[in-house]
Amino acid sequence: MANNNGKEGLGCISIAILILGGFFSLVFLFFGVLFIWSAGAPGVDSGARLSTGIILIFIGLIFIGITIGITVFIYRRLHPKEEKIEITQKIDLSGDVSIQSMKCQKCGAQLDKDSITTREGAIFISCPYCGSDYEVEEAPKW
Ligand SMILES: [Zn+2]
């Protein structure tokens, strides 16, 4: 439960960053465009307004980049982790005892932990002796 709450909190933070970052970047972009827009107005230092506008737009773009970067970073941290925990639990379920007495279904060679790989939550066996590569069912028979 505590783990779940932490994830939800991180999700809320990423949404808050997305909203805040998006807001600030839009403000900078808006004023940047405004400065460039008014650079052509009479009695104004056009060069100063233009460069100020470009700087503001540049800051706005940096804000967008940082916002997207942080959001993607948090998103990636949240999601692959769930998958990894699930795979670890599945391996734990099969237990050390069954792994020790496990034999290749094709050639009968003794397999160790290095022969076991997990793909998409399923357990796969790669026999180092005969080279066979097959998926193990949910309820192993060995
Ligand atoms: Zn084998």
Side-chain angles (χ1 to χ4, degrees), residues 104-109 111 127-132 134:
C104 175
Q105 288 174 12
K106 301 276 162 68
C107 71
L111 297 172
C127 178
Y129 299 99
C130 68
S132 48
Y134 55 88

Side-chain angles (χ1 to χ4, degrees), residues 33-92:
V33 169
L34 214 68
F35 264 85
I36 290 171
W37 205 298
S38 63
V44 189
D45 186 354
S46 299
R49 287 228 166 176
L50 212 65
S51 52
T52 308
I54 288 166
I55 289 166
L56 285 174
I57 286 176
F58 190 66
I59 292 169
L61 289 175
I62 288 172
F63 258 102
I64 289 174
I66 291 170
T67 305
I68 292 171
I70 291 172
T71 310
V72 168
F73 178 75
I74 291 174
Y75 185 85
R76 282 195 181 161
R77 266 195 80 143
L78 282 177
H79 292 267
K81 245 187 184 173
E82 281 174 17
E83 233 171 82
K84 265 184 193 169
I85 289 165
E86 204 180 300
I87 289 165
T88 313
Q89 280 169 343
K90 274 190 181 171
I91 292 170
D92 285 345

Side-chain angles (χ1 to χ4, degrees), residues 113-127:
K113 280 185 177 181
D114 296 331
S115 314
I116 301 156
T117 49
T118 50
R119 272 174 251 154
E120 289 145 10
I123 300 166
F124 282 82
I125 302 295
S126 301
C127 178

